[in-house]
């Protein structure tokens, strides 16, 4: 096989020139970036310390000495031999230890770095004596302060007399009486640590791109290959614009109770937003999968998520003064930040260092707000604020709705029992009845929905118990339970049903709120009502976003007009040089229908051919067309048959029917000929994307649908449900134009076979097997429902082999013993007597062995058995096409060889083309791929084969988008095996 003639785009992780500057460039950038940061930092540090020295030597120092002397006189009068450290204005011992370590390290770093760079050729302070002098002076000052702090630590709690002078004039102490009224040393240290981390990561990424990539790539690869993280997309809206607006409104409400919050919050928002924008402009780092984008560092999405997670608990504390509520919310929201970061790294929206800097930047702003809020002196104008020295409630009127105490007690018990009833009802509906379960089969499936719903029921029951003691937190918990279940239900149902479910489960929260509010202030009532309303609004927005994410279109709709046929949907397949199969669906059971067809060139006067069929109990009629002319266009139409017998029905069709066609198709040529094959998989249920128009426009001779024709995730044991799932997709205009006119060969994957990651143990196995054989036109599938749907057929000199990787997947086998042997025999024998073998394999082949994975990497022994057979037979004319992963990817055979033996050829590697997703969000599985992976939606692949009957054939593999953009391609010249007819 000659693989020298190939050209492709190579994205991360193999691209080395587009996104990775060389080491020399890194040094140049470092030489500009570091001096600028250092110079500005030195200048500000020096000015700050000098300012503090003068300030502390002036009026403040006099005040401090006066306070200390007063404390000494007081202790002498009271008979105390040694004043306490806080009475002398000293900070805690841990603070001095931290100051000593930080300042000593800074002094050593500045002294060594500035001296070395002054003496080194090319150093950034070379020959700049004044900057060296300033650096050394600052280093000496830091060292002096570090020494004072060290002496205090060692002599605690009674420093020697000579230390008191520096302590009183340097910023290492406070005026007695102020200790404990400001931020703690841990909060201060945490704020500084977050800021320093942000600066350090920015420095690494901004000045040393290759260093950053060396750190990022292995971590990013691990996240990208962790397939289980794709299920975290439910949390991804956290940090998005709509969710942020809702939470920001909640945070803003706290300004009514705290004036410091009213000033600090908008400033923090501006700082977070502007800091992210400034860093993005300075660093200009491309995203991992989009080299043309410079918006990877930092992630605005994660900054917003951290901002929300840090300030919503603070706002709740301001509004309610309840630490338990703020602690609970902080834990939940922190988990949300972690999950969001993990999912966005898995989706490769950002590099790991980008995510780290985003989190630390957001954390710096959040901790800064907490640090400001901890200064009680700033809260003198907040009479109702928790941080005020003398807090008291603002005199607002109490109660929004007044009624007698006995009514409030009954409402309280009504809220308690309704919450318990809702919890019990949800548990019963989940475990016994099996609800919610969408009748159309959408959703996660019982393995996920059951534990989640039981968890929500448990949370509602816990809220009922909490209501016996604390009604306000209980109402919030009830509202959270209702909102969470509503958001989860939006994966099972349309948004209207999800919001309705939320409204029903909010009844206990409303009753509890009514019982609570008569004795509360208007401010607390408004705050709780606003929080509840925010949850409801968030449920509404979130339900729409989640439903659109799982089931909404990923790109514009098809412009096709759809079918105008007696049948609801038509499916063309099994097309050869003289045969074809047409399946008509959506009919009444036992209904008799007629298929009229004829060559298109005879449309002006040729006689029609007719076939009559009767729909089965699934509403499907199957027509087998024979004696067709090779490489010819035929038009056909499905008509209603009112006659009582086939002969009368044929006369009706020939004489009285509309001459227009439902669809037109072309038969295959009989000998060697050029062939265009489209490949794709993974479409949401009832998809009508423009990608189908793009596939039709490519004019393929054959369409290989390699799995996930829809995302029904059906566990149903009724074949009717599975046929209806096919029909919901095939009747869409875009799909109707494709599947009725382009010959299709189709094998299932997990979502159109059963639940997510389904295998041979799926309860739907028998039902979907029956439905497939009734509704899908195929190339000779075994008629027994117990058998796999593996099949093989020949077009010209090309052999197509399709495998079933689901129905026989049990234990440690993916194909089952019988299908595995059939596949090995088919591949090795077909490679010897065909010019080319195209293996349509729905499941990703390339990937390191990982037990439990949903691809071939979890079945290394079986994969090796196939590879060894290929190596032993010396197969060099095999190409694989695959789906499942929501990406376009190409490998030239470099990474597809898993043989343990050496064969007569160079190896058992073969070219591979992944093609997806038709209409689903992008993702990456397996790899590495020699020509890269391109996750996305509205994508498909093309295999163009040029076969003139000679000793070689040319094959071109390519990946495309719905916008007619070619993402990647690989060109091959393959030697035809000896003995193949020419």
């Amino acid at each position: 096989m000659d693989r020298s003639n190939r050209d492709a785009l190579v994205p991360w992780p193999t691209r080395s020139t587009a996104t990775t500057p060389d080491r020399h460039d890194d040094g140049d950038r470092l030489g500009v970036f570091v001096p600028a940061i250092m110079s500005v930092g030195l200048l500000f540090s020096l000015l700050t310390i000098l300012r503090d020295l003068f300030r502390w030597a002036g009026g403040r120092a006099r005040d401090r000495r006066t306070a200390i002397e007063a404390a000494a006189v007081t202790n002498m009068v009271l008979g105390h031999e040694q004043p306490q450290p806080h009475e002398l204005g000293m900070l805690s011992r841990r603070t001095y230890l931290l100051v000593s370590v930080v300042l000593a390290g800074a002094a050593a770093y500045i002294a060594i770095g500035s001296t070395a760079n002054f003496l080194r050729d090319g150093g950034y302070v070379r020959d700049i004596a004044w900057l060296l002098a300033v650096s050394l002076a600052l280093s000496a000052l830091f060292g002096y302060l570090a020494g004072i702090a060290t002496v205090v630590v060692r002599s605690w709690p009674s420093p020697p007399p000579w230390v008191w002078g520096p302590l009183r004039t340097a910023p290492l102490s406070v005026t007695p009486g102020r200790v404990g009224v400001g931020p703690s040393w841990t909060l201060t240290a945490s704020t500084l640590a977050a800021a320093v981390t942000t600066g350090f990561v920015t420095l690494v990424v901004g000045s040393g791109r290759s260093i950053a990539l060396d750190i990022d790539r292995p971590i990013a690869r691990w996240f990208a290959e962790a397939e289980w993280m794709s299920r975290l997309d439910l949390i991804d809206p956290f940090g998005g614009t709509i969710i942020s607006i809702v939470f920001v409104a909640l945070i803003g409400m706290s300004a009514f109770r705290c004036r410091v919050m009213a000033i600090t919050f908008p400033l923090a928002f501006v700082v977070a937003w502007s800091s992210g924008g400034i860093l993005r402009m300075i660093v200009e780092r491309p995203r991992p999968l989009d080299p043309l984008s410079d918006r990877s560092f930092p992630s605005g999405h994660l900054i917003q998520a951290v901002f929300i997670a840090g300030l919503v608990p603070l706002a709740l504390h301001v509004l309610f003064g309840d630490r338990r509520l703020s602690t609970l919310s902080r834990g939940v929201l922190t988990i949300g930040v972690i999950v969001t970061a993990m999912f966005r790294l898995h989706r490769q929206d950002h590099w790991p260092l980008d995510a780290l800097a985003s989190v630390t930047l957001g954390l710096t702003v959040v901790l800064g707000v907490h640090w400001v809020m901890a200064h009680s002196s700033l809260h003198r104008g907040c009479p109702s604020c928790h941080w005020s020295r003398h807090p008291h409630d603002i005199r607002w009127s109490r109660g929004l709705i007044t009624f007698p105490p006995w009514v409030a007690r009954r409402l309280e018990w009504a809220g308690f029992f309704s919450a318990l009833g809702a919890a019990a009802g949800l548990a019963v509906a989940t475990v016994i009845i099996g609800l919610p379960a969408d009748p159309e089969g959408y959703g996660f499936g019982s393995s996920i929905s059951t534990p989640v719903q039981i968890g929500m029921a448990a949370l509602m029951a816990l809220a009922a118990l909490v209501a016996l003691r604390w009604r306000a937190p209980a109402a919030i918990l009830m509202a959270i339970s209702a909102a969470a279940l509503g958001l989860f239900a939006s994966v099972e149902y349309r948004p209207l049903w999800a919001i309705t479910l939320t409204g029903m489960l909010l009844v206990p929260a409303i009753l509890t709120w009514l019982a609570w509010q008569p004795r509360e202030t208007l401010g607390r009532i408004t705050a709780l009502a606003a929080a509840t309303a925010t949850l409801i609004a968030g449920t509404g927005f979130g339900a729409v976003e989640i439903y659109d994410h799982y089931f909404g279109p990923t790109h514009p709709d098809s412009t096709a007009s759809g079918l105008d046929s007696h049948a609801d949907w038509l499916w063309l397949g099994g097309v050869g040089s003289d045969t074809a199969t047409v399946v008509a669906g959506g009919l009444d059971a036992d209904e008799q229908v007629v298929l009229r067809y004829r060559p298109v060139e005879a449309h002006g006067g040729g006689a029609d051919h007719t076939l009559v069929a009767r729909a089965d109990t699934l509403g499907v009629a199957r027509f087998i067309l024979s004696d067709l002319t090779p490489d010819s266009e035929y038009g056909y139409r499905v008509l209603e048959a009112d006659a009582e017998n086939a002969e009368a029905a044929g006369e009706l069709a020939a004489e009285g029917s509309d001459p227009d066609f439902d669809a037109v198709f072309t038969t295959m040529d009989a000998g060697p000929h050029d062939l265009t094959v489209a490949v794709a998989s993974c479409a949401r249920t009832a998809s009508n994307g423009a990608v189908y128009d793009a596939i039709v426009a490519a004019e393929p001779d054959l369409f290989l649908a390699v799995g996930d024709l829809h995302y029904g995730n059906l566990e149903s044991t009724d074949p009717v449900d599975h046929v209806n799932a096919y029909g919901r997709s095939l009747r869409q205009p875009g799909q109707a134009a494709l599947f009725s006119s382009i010959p299709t060969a189709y094998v299932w994957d997990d979502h159109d076979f059963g639940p997510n990651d389904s295998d041979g143990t799926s309860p739907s196995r028998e039902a979907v097997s029956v439905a497939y054989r009734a509704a899908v036109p195929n190339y000779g599938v075994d008629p027994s429902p117990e058998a796999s749907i593996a099949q093989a057929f020949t077009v010209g000199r090309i052999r197509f082999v399709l495998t079933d990787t689901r129905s026989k997947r049990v234990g440690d086998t993916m194909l089952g013993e019988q299908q595995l042997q059939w596949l090995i025999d088919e591949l090795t024998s077909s490679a010897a007597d065909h010019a080319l073998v195209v293996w349509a394999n729905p499941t990703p082949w390339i990937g390191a062995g990982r037990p439990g994975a949903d691809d071939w990497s979890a079945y290394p022994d079986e994969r090796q058995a196939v590879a060894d057979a290929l190596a032993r037979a010396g197969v060099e004319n095999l190409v694989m096409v695959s789906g499942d992963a929501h990406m376009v990817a190409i490998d030239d055979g470099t990474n597809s060889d898993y043989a343990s033996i050496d064969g007569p050829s160079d190896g058992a590697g073969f070219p591979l083309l992944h093609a997806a997703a038709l209409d689903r969000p992008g993702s990456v599985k397996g790899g590495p791929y020699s020509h890269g992976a391109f996750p996305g939606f509205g994508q498909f692949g093309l295999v163009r084969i040029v076969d003139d009957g000679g000793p070689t054939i040319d094959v071109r593999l390519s990946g495309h988008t719905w916008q007619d953009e070619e993402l990647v391609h690989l060109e091959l010249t393959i030697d035809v095996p000896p003995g193949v007819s020419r």
Side-chain angles (χ1 to χ4, degrees):
M1 182 184 298
D2 180 10
R3 292 176 180 147
S4 61
N5 183 21
R6 61 176 182 260
D7 180 23
L9 299 176
V10 185
W12 173 83
T14 56
R15 175 182 279 118
S16 60
T17 58
T19 60
T20 308
D22 59 27
R23 297 286 177 178
H24 179 72
D25 292 339
D26 290 344
D28 291 343
R29 295 191 60 171
L30 199 64
V32 174
F33 195 83
V34 173
I37 296 294
M38 288 294 296
S39 301
V40 173
L42 290 173
L43 183 60
F44 275 98
S45 298
L46 183 61
L47 292 177
T48 300
I49 291 181
L50 290 176
R51 180 204 63 189
D52 287 342
L53 285 174
F54 283 116
R55 177 184 298 172
W56 292 108
R60 278 197 171 184
R62 289 193 297 271
D63 293 341
R64 177 172 302 171
R65 284 193 294 270
T66 301
I68 293 174
E69 293 299 333
V73 172
T74 302
N75 278 277
M76 181 179 65
V77 172
L78 295 177
H80 296 165
E81 295 183 0
Q82 175 63 42
Q84 295 297 316
H86 68 84
E87 296 176 330
L88 301 178
M90 296 174 62
L91 303 174
S92 67
R93 190 179 191 185
R94 289 175 298 181
T95 303
Y96 287 115
L97 178 61
L98 178 65
V99 169
S100 173
V101 172
V102 171
L103 291 181
Y109 175 79
I110 294 173
I112 296 172
S114 58
T115 303
N117 278 278
F118 181 80
L119 299 176
R120 179 173 59 86
D121 291 337
Y124 62 84
V125 295
R126 176 70 175 174
D127 298 331
I128 308 178
W130 70 267
L131 187 56
L132 175 63
V134 170
S135 300
L136 293 178
L138 184 62
S139 175
L141 187 57
F142 280 173
Y144 172 72
L145 296 177
I148 296 298
T150 302
V151 170
V152 173
V153 172
R154 292 179 59 86
S155 59
W156 187 270
S158 302
W162 66 269
V163 171
W164 284 110
L167 275 180
R168 294 173 183 175
T169 56
L172 294 177
S173 58
V174 296
T175 301
R178 293 185 54 84
V179 178
V181 299
S184 65
W185 74 274
T186 53
L187 178 57
T188 302
S190 299
T191 307
L192 291 174
V196 169
T197 303
T198 304
F200 178 74
V201 175
T202 302
L203 187 66
V204 170
V205 174
S207 62
R209 289 288 177 82
S210 61
I211 299 174
L213 286 175
D214 290 342
I215 298 172
D216 276 328
R217 277 176 171 159
I219 302 173
R221 186 176 295 113
W222 182 85
F223 275 99
E225 294 177 353
E227 293 300 329
W228 61 270
M229 290 188 189
S230 62
R231 300 178 181 177
L232 303 179
D233 55 355
L234 184 67
I235 309 296
D236 190 50
F238 179 63
T241 302
I242 294 179
I243 301 298
S244 296
I245 291 173
V246 174
F247 280 115
V248 163
L250 175 62
I251 297 171
M253 288 186 59
S254 62
F256 289 104
R257 296 184 64 87
C258 179
R259 296 180 183 180
V260 179
M261 192 71 169
I263 299 173
T264 307
F265 167 62
L267 287 178
F269 180 81
V270 171
V271 169
W273 178 80
S274 59
S275 298
I278 292 171
L279 291 179
R280 196 172 293 117
M281 288 188 295
I282 293 175
V283 177
E284 294 185 346
R285 193 184 196 193
R287 294 180 184 269
L289 296 179
D290 187 2
L292 300 180
S293 170
D294 59 357
R295 300 179 61 83
S296 184
F297 185 94
S299 167
H301 193 98
L302 285 178
I303 293 175
Q304 288 188 110
V306 175
F307 189 84
I308 290 170
L311 294 188
V312 164
L314 184 64
L316 293 175
H317 193 190
V318 170
L319 289 170
F320 297 103
D322 191 335
R323 287 189 178 275
R324 292 166 299 185
L325 184 59
S326 61
T327 301
L328 176 63
S329 63
R330 182 177 295 109
V332 172
L333 294 174
T334 300
I335 293 173
V337 171
I338 295 172
V339 172
T340 299
M342 292 172 62
F343 175 71
R344 296 186 81 79
L345 289 176
H346 168 72
R347 202 170 63 180
Q348 300 183 65
D349 290 337
H350 303 279
W351 295 100
L353 286 179
D354 305 343
L356 175 61
S358 306
V359 171
T360 56
L361 176 57
L363 197 59
T364 301
V365 175
V366 167
L367 292 175
V369 172
H370 282 261
W371 187 85
V372 172
M373 294 289 289
H375 288 79
S376 59
S377 61
L378 300 177
H379 296 269
R380 285 174 294 195
C382 307
S384 63
C385 177
H386 169 77
W387 288 271
S388 175
R389 293 186 178 183
H390 304 289
H392 62 274
D393 285 334
I394 296 176
R395 294 299 180 182
W396 284 334
S397 60
R398 292 184 177 273
L400 189 64
I401 303 174
T402 58
F403 34 71
W406 64 270
V407 175
R409 286 193 296 272
R410 292 187 179 182
L411 287 172
E412 180 180 336
W413 284 108
F416 170 76
F417 285 113
S418 62
L420 287 181
L426 180 59
V428 170
T430 300
V431 177
I432 298 178
I433 303 177
L435 295 175
D438 185 6
E440 294 188 349
Y442 296 154
F444 287 121
S446 59
S447 62
I448 296 177
S449 62
T450 296
V452 171
Q453 290 162 193
I454 292 297
M456 293 301 101
L459 182 60
M460 182 66 76
L462 174 64
L465 297 177
V466 172
L468 295 176
R469 180 70 180 273
W470 304 287
R471 286 185 289 275
I476 289 291
L477 282 178
M478 293 174 186
I480 290 174
S481 175
L485 189 62
L487 290 173
F488 181 77
S490 64
V491 181
E492 303 281 339
Y493 295 105
R494 295 187 180 276
L496 179 60
W497 289 102
I499 296 172
T500 302
L501 177 62
T502 300
M504 294 172 60
L505 292 177
L506 278 174
V507 170
I510 294 172
L511 291 173
T512 303
W513 177 82
L514 287 172
W516 166 81
Q517 58 86 32
R519 297 182 294 275
E520 296 298 326
T521 64
L522 186 59
R524 289 176 180 256
I525 294 171
T526 303
L528 185 60
T532 306
T534 300
L535 286 171
I536 298 173
T539 302
F541 284 116
V544 173
E545 290 291 325
I546 291 171
Y547 189 85
D548 285 346
H549 175 77
Y550 277 96
F551 309 114
T554 58
H555 62 293
D557 280 350
S558 164
T559 57
S561 58
L563 289 176
D564 181 18
S565 175
H566 175 66
D568 278 354
W569 51 267
L570 299 171
W571 201 340
L572 173 70
V575 176
S577 59
D578 60 353
T579 61
T581 301
V582 174
V583 176
L587 306 170
D588 294 333
D590 206 36
E591 178 183 0
Q592 187 170 274
V593 289
V594 172
L595 176 76
R596 177 177 57 84
Y597 68 99
R598 62 180 172 185
V600 171
E601 61 267 23
H603 183 71
D608 290 342
H609 302 275
T610 59
L611 294 172
V612 179
R614 191 176 297 277
D616 59 19
T617 56
L618 304 177
V620 173
R622 179 179 291 264
F623 301 92
I624 308 296
L625 288 65
S626 58
D627 298 325
L628 304 179
T629 303
D631 194 24
S632 300
E633 281 191 324
Y634 283 84
Y636 68 92
R637 185 170 179 81
V638 175
L639 302 164
E640 181 180 7
D642 293 329
E644 295 181 358
N645 55 64
E647 182 179 356
E651 293 175 358
L652 175 65
E655 297 175 2
S657 61
D658 186 339
D660 292 335
F661 298 129
D662 287 341
V664 175
F665 70 94
T666 303
T667 55
M668 304 294 182
D669 204 347
H673 63 282
D674 297 346
L675 195 65
T676 298
V677 181
V679 185
S681 65
C682 304
R684 65 184 179 87
T685 302
S687 170
N688 187 39
V691 65
Y692 299 106
D693 297 346
I695 295 174
V696 173
E699 299 182 347
D701 301 290
L702 176 68
F703 177 47
L704 294 177
V706 284
D708 293 340
L709 191 71
H710 61 76
Y711 264 62
N713 293 328
L714 292 173
E715 299 180 65
S716 172
T717 58
D718 187 348
V720 173
D721 293 335
H722 295 274
V723 171
N724 289 341
Y726 290 139
R728 280 194 297 274
S729 292
L730 295 175
R731 71 167 61 100
Q732 301 303 316
Q735 295 200 52
L738 171 62
F739 286 97
S740 65
S741 61
I742 305 298
T744 302
Y746 156 66
V747 285
W748 53 43
D749 199 36
D750 53 343
H751 296 286
D752 48 356
F753 175 76
N756 184 34
D757 294 346
S758 54
D759 56 21
T761 64
S762 170
S764 64
R765 186 186 65 80
E766 183 176 352
V768 71
S769 182
V770 171
Y772 181 97
R773 288 163 170 80
V776 179
N778 56 73
Y779 288 87
V781 168
D782 189 319
S784 171
E786 296 299 320
S788 74
I789 59 169
Q791 53 198 282
F793 60 95
T794 299
V795 178
R797 299 196 299 173
I798 315 303
R799 185 67 168 173
F800 292 90
V801 180
L802 285 69
T803 46
D804 172 3
T805 59
R806 290 293 168 182
S807 68
K808 297 301 177 181
R809 183 188 299 195
V810 179
D812 59 356
T813 177
M814 175 177 283
L815 302 177
E817 182 179 353
Q818 183 176 350
Q819 184 184 188
L820 175 62
Q821 189 58 51
W822 171 87
L823 174 64
I824 291 175
D825 293 343
E826 185 64 50
L827 292 179
T828 54
S829 62
S830 296
D833 54 21
H834 288 77
L836 176 69
V837 178
V838 178
W839 177 12
N841 161 48
T843 303
W845 175 263
I846 296 176
R850 290 190 303 124
D854 189 46
D855 53 44
W856 277 96
S857 67
Y859 304 88
D861 294 340
E862 199 159 271
R863 180 171 60 177
Q864 180 180 306
V866 176
D868 285 347
L870 296 176
R872 194 176 297 111
V875 174
E876 292 189 286
N877 57 340
L878 172 66
V879 171
M880 176 186 286
V881 294
S882 188
D884 187 52
H886 299 180
M887 64 183 182
V888 162
I890 288 181
D891 189 81
D892 60 8
T894 302
N895 303 292
S896 61
D897 185 356
Y898 291 95
S900 62
I901 62 174
D902 294 328
S905 60
D906 294 337
F910 46 80
L912 180 152
L913 168 65
H914 268 287
L918 285 164
D919 195 7
R920 295 285 293 154
S923 66
V924 174
K925 283 186 180 181
Y929 303 100
S930 65
H931 285 52
F934 299 79
F937 47 82
Q939 299 184 159
F940 65 99
L942 289 177
V943 181
R944 298 189 185 273
I945 303 169
V946 178
D947 183 9
D948 59 5
T952 63
I953 62 173
D954 294 326
V955 179
R956 189 178 193 274
L957 309 178
S958 56
H960 303 259
T961 71
W962 65 274
Q963 296 171 305
D964 198 27
E965 174 191 1
E966 184 176 278
L967 298 172
V968 62
H969 75 264
L970 169 66
E971 294 182 354
L972 308 164
T973 297
I974 296 177
D975 295 327
V976 176
V980 176
S981 59
R982 299 176 179 176

